[in-house]
């Protein structure tokens, strides 16, 4: 990186190198108002944007502030009913757990 001017001004490529980003990123920061540049261009000439080192340092410090961690409480889950085993009489004749109540056989009345 070149030496800074006595006033601490950098052009866009120098600012990009200082921050470790591309020149397009610096231009996007300028267009979005995130970094305040100084226009040194005059007359009909093209604008000469210069950025102060302290402005870049301000931007970096603002973006790297540690955010307070929000401590989240674990969610309270509803209590489930305990599983109740009804013994072997609840099993089907082949030893499986029935999925639903068996229908009464025809001719027999359910009590």
């Amino acid at each position: 990186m070149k030496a800074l001017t006595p006033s601490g001004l950098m052009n866009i490529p120098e600012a990009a190198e200082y921050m470790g980003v591309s020149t397009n990123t610096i231009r996007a920061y300028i267009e979005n108002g995130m970094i305040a540049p100084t226009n040194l261009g005059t007359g009909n000439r093209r604008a000469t944007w210069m950025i102060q080192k302290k402005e870049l340092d301000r931007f970096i410090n603002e973006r790297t502030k540690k955010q307070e961690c929000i401590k989240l409480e674990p969610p309270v889950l509803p209590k489930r009913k305990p599983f109740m085993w009804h013994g072997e009489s609840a099993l089907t004749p082949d030893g499986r757990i029935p999925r639903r109540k068996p229908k009464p056989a025809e001719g027999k009345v359910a009590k």
Side-chain angles (χ1 to χ4, degrees), residues 39-108:
N39 184 3
L40 299 179
T42 58
N44 294 332
R45 289 186 52 203
R46 194 171 162 186
T48 304
W49 294 105
M50 300 293 278
I51 304 166
Q52 291 183 347
K53 182 181 180 298
K54 66 179 182 180
E55 176 65 17
L56 294 176
D57 291 336
R58 178 207 57 83
F59 177 75
I60 293 169
N61 289 334
E62 184 180 285
R63 299 278 288 203
T64 58
K65 284 183 183 174
K66 290 185 178 179
Q67 297 179 356
E68 289 185 29
C69 293
I70 300 171
K71 188 174 181 180
L72 298 175
E73 296 293 325
V76 178
L77 300 175
K79 291 188 177 183
R80 297 176 62 185
K81 287 183 176 180
F83 178 75
M84 297 187 66
W85 181 252
H86 296 292
E88 292 194 24
S89 63
L91 298 177
T92 60
D94 59 351
R96 291 184 301 160
I97 299 172
R99 295 289 175 206
R100 47 180 107 132
K101 282 186 169 181
K103 293 181 180 177
E106 289 184 33
K108 293 184 180 180

